[in-house]
Amino acid sequence: MIRLFQLQEYCLRLMGHNDDMDSTEVRALSLKHISSLIFVISAQYPLISYVAHNRNDMEKVTACLSVVFTNMLTVIKISTFLANRRDFWEMIRRFRKMHEQSLKRMFRSASPTQRNGEGLDYVAEANKLAFFLGRAYCLSCGLTGVYFMLGPILKIGACRWHGTTCDKELPMPMKFPFNDLKSPEYEVCFFYTVLVTVVVVAYASAVDGLFISFAINLRAHFQTLQAQIENWEFPLSKQDTQARLKSIVEYHVLLHSLSSKLRSMYTPTVMGQFVITSLQVGVIIYQLVTNMDSVMDLLLYASFFGSIMLQLFIYCYGGEIIKAESLQVDTAVRLSDWHLASPKSRTSLSLIILQSQKEVVIRAGFFVASLANFVGICRTALSLITLIKSIE
C-alpha cells in the first residue's frame, strides 16, 4: 500500500527535517533547519550582481530575473514551512490516521465484491492520484533543474569533440566577486549552483506536493461525507439517529477546520506564487519570443515556463476542488431522504446545509486560488506574446 505523503517526506528528510517534534511543545530551529534557507538566500547575491553587471542587456537581464524570482519564491516556501513545520507534520499525521480509519470502515461495511475492488473508496482513489501528481511534479522540477545543469556541460563537451574552444558558462546566470570562469573557482561555483538547485527542487517538491496532496485528500473526505449523507436510511432508532448525526456533524466540522488550517499555513505561499508567477510570465515570455531562432534556448525557456505554470496550477486546482466539494455537501443533504427524518433531525440537517453554503476558499489577500484566475494568467501570457511580437 502506498504510504501517504511518502515522496514529500523523503524530500523534507533530505533537507534535515524529521517528524520527531513533541506534540506539546515546539522545538527551536536548529542550524540544520535554517541552513537551507540561508543557502538559498545567499544565491540572491550573485544573481542580482549579474543583473546589475548586465543592466544594459535586456536579454541577459530578463534571463536572470526569471531565476531570481524562482529563488525568491523558494525562500518564501522554505520560510513558510519553517514557521509552520509543526502544523505541517500534524496535518500529515491527521490525514494518515483518517486514511487508516476510512480503510477500516470500508472493510467493515463493504460486501465481498466491493472488497475485491469493485466498490468505490474516495480516499484510497484520491491518494493514488495524489501520489501520481506528486511524483510527476517532482520529476518535472527535477528535469528542469537537470536541463539547466547539463547545458554548460554539453556545450563544453561539444566544443572539445569538434576541437574548438568555447567560453565556460555557469548553469545559472550568476556573477561572483571573483573570476568564476577559471579553475578551480569555476568548479566550485558550478558545485554551489548544483546544491542550490537541489534545495530549490526538494522544497518545491515537498511544499507544493503537500498542498496538492492535502487538497485532494480534503476533496475525497468531502465526497465521503456526501456519500454518507446521501445513503442515510431513514428512519432509524432515536439512539442510532443521534449517533449518526453526531458522527456526520463532527466529520463536517473537522473538514472545515482542516481546510481553514491549510489556508492559514499556505497564505504566504499562495500570495508569493501569484505575484511572482505573474512577474515570471513577463520575463520568460520575453525570452521565448526573442529566442525563437535558437532551439536549445527555446526548449530551455519553454520547459521553465511549463514548470512555473505547473506550480501555479497546483495551487489553483487545489483551491478549486476544495471549494467545489465543500459546496456539494449542501446538495448531498437535499438529495438524501431527509423528508423521512424526524423534525429534530431535520433541524440538524438544515444547520449542515447552512454551514456548507459557506465557500471554503484558499485565498491570500485579493488572490484566490481558483482555475478562473489560472486561466486569466494564461490569457495574459498569450497577450504578452502578441504585444512583444508586434513591438519587434
Side-chain angles (χ1 to χ4, degrees):
M1 184 178 67
I2 299 172
R3 179 174 168 81
L4 275 167
F5 318 117
Q6 187 176 55
L7 179 59
Q8 292 82 11
E9 186 176 357
Y10 285 158
C11 291
L12 291 174
R13 290 185 185 278
L14 179 64
M15 295 295 103
H17 298 283
N18 291 289
D19 184 15
D20 57 358
M21 290 190 298
D22 189 274
S23 59
T24 58
E25 57 184 47
V26 179
R27 289 176 52 185
L29 288 170
S30 63
L31 180 61
K32 70 175 183 178
H33 291 137
I34 62 174
S35 58
S36 299
L37 178 61
I38 296 172
F39 196 59
V40 174
I41 291 175
S42 70
Q44 288 294 89
Y45 174 76
L47 288 169
I48 295 175
S49 295
Y50 184 92
V51 172
H53 183 74
N54 298 281
R55 58 187 176 276
N56 296 323
D57 190 332
M58 182 59 68
E59 187 173 339
K60 289 184 177 180
V61 168
T62 52
C64 186
L65 282 176
S66 60
V67 181
V68 170
F69 293 145
T70 298
N71 208 54
M72 290 172 58
L73 188 56
T74 304
V75 170
I76 294 173
K77 290 177 181 178
I78 296 175
S79 302
T80 298
F81 179 80
L82 293 179
N84 300 283
R85 71 193 194 284
R86 179 184 176 186
D87 292 333
F88 273 93
W89 289 116
E90 284 181 353
M91 288 275 280
I92 289 173
R93 288 193 296 267
R94 165 62 72 176
F95 278 115
R96 282 175 175 170
K97 184 177 180 181
M98 291 169 69
H99 183 217
E100 292 172 359
Q101 291 173 344
S102 69
L103 289 176
K104 292 177 181 177
R105 185 166 56 246
M106 182 184 70
F107 276 92
R108 281 199 308 265
S109 60
S111 65
T113 302
Q114 289 176 315
R115 291 177 187 176
N116 289 331
E118 295 181 11
L120 177 63
D121 178 62
Y122 295 109
V123 179
E125 292 298 320
N127 288 318
K128 291 178 183 177
L129 175 61
F131 177 78
F132 171 77
L133 290 178
R135 185 171 57 180
Y137 177 69
C138 181
L139 184 63
S140 170
C141 294
L143 288 177
T144 302
V146 169
Y147 194 81
F148 269 102
M149 298 301 109
L150 288 180
I153 297 175
L154 292 176
K155 185 177 180 180
I156 294 173
C159 290
R160 290 183 178 179
W161 178 266
H162 293 98
T164 59
T165 58
C166 62
D167 296 330
K168 293 181 179 179
E169 293 181 1
L170 290 172
M172 301 294 178
M174 292 180 170
K175 182 172 178 56
F176 292 87
F178 50 82
N179 188 353
D180 51 34
L181 298 180
K182 69 174 185 178
S183 297
E185 288 88 345
Y186 175 77
E187 287 75 13
V188 172
C189 293
F190 195 101
F191 183 66
Y192 169 81
T193 308
V194 170
L195 291 180
V196 170
T197 304
V198 169
V199 174
V200 171
V201 170
Y203 268 104
S205 300
V207 177
D208 297 342
L210 282 174
F211 178 84
I212 191 62
S213 297
F214 289 152
I216 289 174
N217 270 271
L218 277 170
R219 178 182 66 173
H221 284 288
F222 272 118
Q223 290 173 332
T224 302
L225 176 63
Q226 294 163 30
Q228 290 180 4
I229 295 173
E230 288 182 29
N231 297 328
W232 190 348
E233 296 179 357
F234 297 97
L236 297 173
S237 66
K238 184 177 180 180
Q239 184 177 0
D240 290 341
T241 299
Q242 290 299 320
R244 187 70 177 269
L245 269 175
K246 181 181 178 183
S247 174
I248 288 174
V249 170
E250 288 179 350
Y251 196 10
H252 196 204
V253 170
L254 173 61
L255 295 182
H256 271 269
S257 174
L258 290 173
S259 301
S260 299
K261 192 173 185 178
L262 181 66
R263 178 177 56 207
S264 175
M265 287 163 49
Y266 276 93
T267 294
T269 302
V270 172
M271 173 66 79
Q273 193 72 59
F274 272 94
V275 173
I276 294 177
T277 299
S278 301
L279 297 173
Q280 284 178 313
V281 165
V283 296
I284 294 178
I285 289 297
Y286 179 85
Q287 286 293 315
L288 284 171
V289 174
T290 55
N291 287 281
M292 288 291 186
D293 298 331
S294 174
V295 177
M296 289 296 291
D297 288 339
L298 190 61
L299 287 174
L300 174 64
Y301 289 109
S303 65
F304 195 23
F305 179 75
S307 179
I308 65 167
M309 292 305 290
L310 180 59
Q311 288 184 41
L312 180 63
F313 177 78
I314 280 176
Y315 287 94
C316 291
Y317 176 70
E320 185 73 26
I321 61 177
I322 291 174
K323 180 180 72 172
E325 293 301 332
S326 65
L327 291 174
Q328 287 300 312
V329 176
D330 175 11
T331 305
V333 176
R334 297 177 190 275
L335 292 176
S336 68
D337 295 330
W338 59 268
H339 56 280
L340 300 177
S342 64
K344 188 174 181 180
S345 297
R346 291 181 197 175
T347 302
S348 299
L349 290 172
S350 65
L351 293 176
I352 294 176
I353 290 176
L354 289 174
Q355 179 67 21
S356 61
Q357 288 175 345
K358 299 177 182 177
E359 288 184 342
V360 179
V361 179
I362 305 298
R363 69 163 66 243
F366 51 85
F367 292 107
V368 177
S370 66
L371 291 180
N373 284 332
F374 177 79
V375 172
I377 291 178
C378 290
R379 287 175 177 169
T380 302
L382 294 175
S383 300
L384 283 173
I385 293 176
T386 305
L387 176 62
I388 294 172
K389 287 183 73 68
S390 65
I391 291 174
E392 288 188 333

